Amino acid sequence: MSKDMNLTLKVWRQKDQASNGKMETYQAKKVSPDMSFLEMLDVVNEDLIQKGQDPIAFDSDCREGICGTCSMVVNGVPHGPQRGTTVCQLHMRHFKDGDTIAIEPWRARPFPVLKDLITNRSALDRIIQAGGYISVSTGNAPAANALPISKKASDEAMDAAACIGCGACVAACKNASAMLFVSAKVGHLGLLPQGQPERDKRVWKMISQMDKEGFGNCTNTYACESVCPKRVSASFIARLNRDYAVAVAKGECDR
Amino acid sequence: MNLIKAIFLSSVGRKYIMALTGAAMSAFVFVHLLGNLQIFLGADALNKYAVLLHSNFAILWGYRLGLGTIALVHIVVALSLWLENRAARPVKYVVNKQPYTDFASKMMVCGGVAIFFFVIWHIVDLTCGLTRPDVVNQTAMLGDKQVADVYHIVIKGIGHPVAGICYLIATCCLALHLWHGLESIFQSLGLRNKTYALYIKVVTKAAVLFLFAGMCLIPLVCMLGILK
């Protein structure tokens, strides 16, 4: 039976988008090592509510590591020290009794803080709206094997499709670049036959929207793939760079 | 107009420019080193090489102006990217540790600025001979012709302890810059995938280590008086 822990939390508190925030210190007492990080925050919040204080606002939804809603920077690392998981799947056994844990929201100009640890990540949605789709004629669903796809292409497309759009890549990048996110979306559709008709238009539109949102530029540090909870590879960024060159060379920018 | 925007104003387009101009300057640096390593073949070999480089006015100046333009584009585009990158995160992290980002990639801007000032001094000092005319105005006989004694210019110019240490520091900056930059060229131009990634890494890092060793060797032998 593992022992309960007492932790010191330093949490970013910000009333709303217009206010200035600051780090506040809280004590998390009797934390079970089996709790998830978010459950630990739930317990701290219960305590705050009982004291009549404003609970710490944070995003969460599925709490099983697949939705990409939870988003916090734990001790300077998006989603915390454990690689390949979201923060809801980070368990308290990765910390020691007496540890001080700093918790901050994603930091990027296109991700304004709405309250405490909650940021507005609509910028990623607007990039998807710009070109992260395929256009299909409606009708009956086609037969499953009507479009042959190689195992290699479908596997690689699946690796890119694993992106849950959480924005950790942006949060980790020293330039707040969204290239891993965009490359995953462009790569996922660009590897499949259904994505071919709009392939050039897609990369042109999505990069243009990404630039418009005010993200930084990729300097190939690969911090993004290291913090990605779905381990999306930065080689998709190289693929995106290649696709953009082809799209520009074909004159996509004048269409 | 849109084409110009797509290349010179987009994030990805400017990375192509950084990669291509960086590749051109890297190629120059390697050729420069290989040429200078002829110092170990003796005075006549290096002086003959210097005569060859200066033999055609049009090629020499075409080359100098071309390389200067490339360097200028590299610097201007780098500054524009750097300003945008800073603006993209107006509020810094309190625990600002930039996780999983290696030292070389964090030093690109600082190292680049240091290299810029070193190159200015290097050109003013040894190419133009403005700071130390006594060092640069040495001549020697090559066959029956009087030529610039580049061999002794290098030994005296770089062998001076202060100058030699500046060369060693600049070499460290350049090697660190290329440690990240050379490998990055392939990623920015989209010429990298999981199959090639390891080969690109090994070959580019080996090339940088060779460059570092060679560029440290010349000032060291000049300063220690091994070559006279």
Side-chain angles (χ1 to χ4, degrees), chain A residues 75 83 104 107-109 170-171 173 175 204 210-211 216-220 223 226 234 238 241-242 244-245 253-254, chain B residues 2-3 6 10-12 15-16 81 84-85 87-89 91 93-95 97 99-101 180 184 187-188 190 192:
Chain A
N75 288 336
R83 291 172 85 158
E104 297 173 74
R107 292 287 185 207
R109 189 164 57 133
V170 178
C173 177
N175 308 325
W204 168 251
M210 178 187 85
D211 289 352
N217 304 289
C218 179
T219 50
N220 311 332
S226 299
N241 290 337
R242 197 157 66 233
Y244 184 80
C253 46
D254 274 329
Chain B
N2 283 341
L3 185 66
S10 76
S11 55
V12 179
K15 295 305 291 186
Y16 300 154
L81 291 169
E84 279 178 20
N85 293 345
R89 179 162 293 141
V91 182
Y93 288 109
V94 175
V95 182
K97 66 171 171 187
Y100 309 113
T101 306
H180 178 74
S184 256
Q187 173 81 358
S188 292
R192 179 178 170 272

Side-chain angles (χ1 to χ4, degrees), chain A residues 142-210:
Chain A
N145 290 325
L147 271 178
I149 304 171
S150 75
K151 169 88 172 112
K152 190 172 172 283
S154 73
D155 280 355
E156 219 183 325
M158 191 61 219
D159 289 345
C163 169
I164 50 178
C166 65
C169 44
V170 178
C173 177
K174 72 183 176 71
N175 308 325
S177 164
M179 284 288 274
L180 190 66
F181 168 79
V182 177
S183 73
K185 300 306 175 192
V186 166
H188 154 214
L189 295 174
L191 277 156
L192 297 174
Q194 293 91 334
Q196 298 313 309
E198 289 154 308
R199 185 168 171 178
D200 296 331
K201 186 177 134 199
R202 177 180 309 114
V203 65
W204 168 251
K205 290 255 167 107
M206 290 179 81
I207 291 284
S208 302
Q209 187 63 37
M210 178 187 85

